[in-house]
Amino acid sequence: MLKEECKALLDALNRVTACYRHLVLTIGGTADSQNLREELKKTRQKAQELAVANRNKLTSTLKDNSLSKEDKVEFERLWVIFSTCMDLLETDMRRALELGQEFPLNIPKKHIIQTGMSGGTSGVAARAMSVQNMKYDGEHNIDVMDLKDLENEIKQVDEMMHEMEMKVGVPQWTVEAKQNPGAELKCATSGGASSPGTISAEENKAICDLSKLLAVVVFSAVLLIAIILAVCVVKLS
């Protein structure tokens, strides 16, 4: 039961962190707006709440001396995934700070990034917050105020990561993966659950065979035409 709770918390953190990264990439682009800055703030705060919950749960569990060897190995693996996710979150928070400083909303003459992306980001933020529709109540200068909060939150995340390393010393190189590299891709291919735009090995082989057959047909037709022309030239001469 405890293992499932930790996995569920970690899965939620991964999902929210991924949504936050998607939102960060739109700062300074054509989809940038006051609503986006508010979505960034709420998603970031949600990620930090989940991070604290994951830290408390995993820290108390790994300090339990009654854990079996198998359970300890599994929780150490979850801890490494959690710490990696926190590294990504901190990186994206720093990126959001830099982009927010570079592209303030209160300076309309500032050139925006031509990312090619258009449309709103409320759907991504709603998935991160696990709500059906986003509600916006931010002030008109939220981008300026939020940058100050973001600087403080980056320091808090950095301190939390340092505290994590001090309390639970689990070197990442000591944790072994449960699957071979690319195993999940092989499972998706064999199960027929490949993502759109992905070509399986069988489909790729069929395309190659069809291309070879077409090349042979074209070459034979060209050769036949060349022979007929040669015969005609000989007869005319």
Side-chain angles (χ1 to χ4, degrees), residues 153-166:
E153 290 174 19
I154 290 174
K155 294 178 181 178
Q156 293 175 2
V157 170
D158 187 59
E159 291 174 358
M160 185 175 72
M161 292 174 63
H162 178 70
E163 183 182 353
M164 285 163 45
E165 294 176 357
M166 297 298 294

Side-chain angles (χ1 to χ4, degrees), residues 19-30:
C19 290
Y20 182 67
R21 166 163 289 197
H22 180 87
L23 295 175
V24 170
L25 294 177
T26 59
I27 300 177
T30 54

Side-chain angles (χ1 to χ4, degrees), residues 7-194:
K7 287 182 178 181
L9 278 173
L10 187 57
D11 181 67
L13 177 61
N14 283 328
R15 183 177 65 253
V16 175
T17 303
C19 290
Y20 182 67
R21 166 163 289 197
H22 180 87
L23 295 175
V24 170
L25 294 177
T26 59
I27 300 177
T30 54
D32 198 358
S33 63
Q34 182 173 330
N35 287 346
L36 172 66
R37 303 302 174 96
E38 188 173 350
E39 291 165 1
L40 282 163
K41 180 178 180 179
K42 292 182 177 180
T43 306
R44 182 183 73 240
Q45 291 175 345
K46 180 68 173 180
Q48 292 177 80
E49 292 175 4
L50 290 169
V52 172
N54 274 277
R55 179 200 61 185
N56 295 339
K57 182 74 69 173
L58 289 172
T59 300
S60 60
T61 303
L62 287 170
K63 284 186 174 182
D64 187 1
N65 296 326
S66 62
L67 274 179
S68 64
K69 185 177 180 180
E70 293 181 357
D71 287 340
K72 186 177 181 180
V73 169
E74 177 62 17
F75 280 110
E76 285 181 347
R77 188 183 69 84
L78 295 178
W79 178 268
V80 170
I81 297 175
F82 169 55
S83 60
T84 303
C85 187
M86 290 301 299
D87 287 335
L88 295 175
L89 177 61
E90 184 190 20
T91 300
D92 289 333
M93 289 173 68
R94 294 185 183 277
R95 181 181 296 152
L97 178 62
E98 293 176 359
L99 291 174
Q101 293 171 341
E102 186 69 22
F103 300 99
L105 295 176
N106 56 353
I107 304 180
K109 293 183 179 180
K110 188 73 174 179
H111 296 291
I112 61 176
I113 303 174
Q114 300 298 327
T115 60
M117 299 177 63
S118 61
T121 55
S122 58
V124 178
R127 287 196 295 272
M129 302 300 296
S130 299
V131 295
Q132 188 171 2
N133 296 308
M134 288 291 296
K135 295 181 179 180
Y136 302 97
D137 52 6
E139 300 181 5
H140 67 280
N141 60 340
I142 185 174
D143 59 323
V144 178
M145 298 176 60
D146 188 49
L147 289 178
K148 298 178 181 179
D149 296 336
L150 181 54
E151 288 183 1
N152 295 327
E153 290 174 19
I154 290 174
K155 294 178 181 178
Q156 293 175 2
V157 170
D158 187 59
E159 291 174 358
M160 185 175 72
M161 292 174 63
H162 178 70
E163 183 182 353
M164 285 163 45
E165 294 176 357
M166 297 298 294
K167 286 186 176 181
V168 180
V170 181
Q172 295 189 6
W173 57 86
T174 62
V175 178
E176 296 183 1
K178 296 181 67 176
Q179 294 179 331
N180 295 325
E184 66 279 2
L185 298 178
K186 295 178 181 178
C187 292
T189 302
S190 61
S194 57

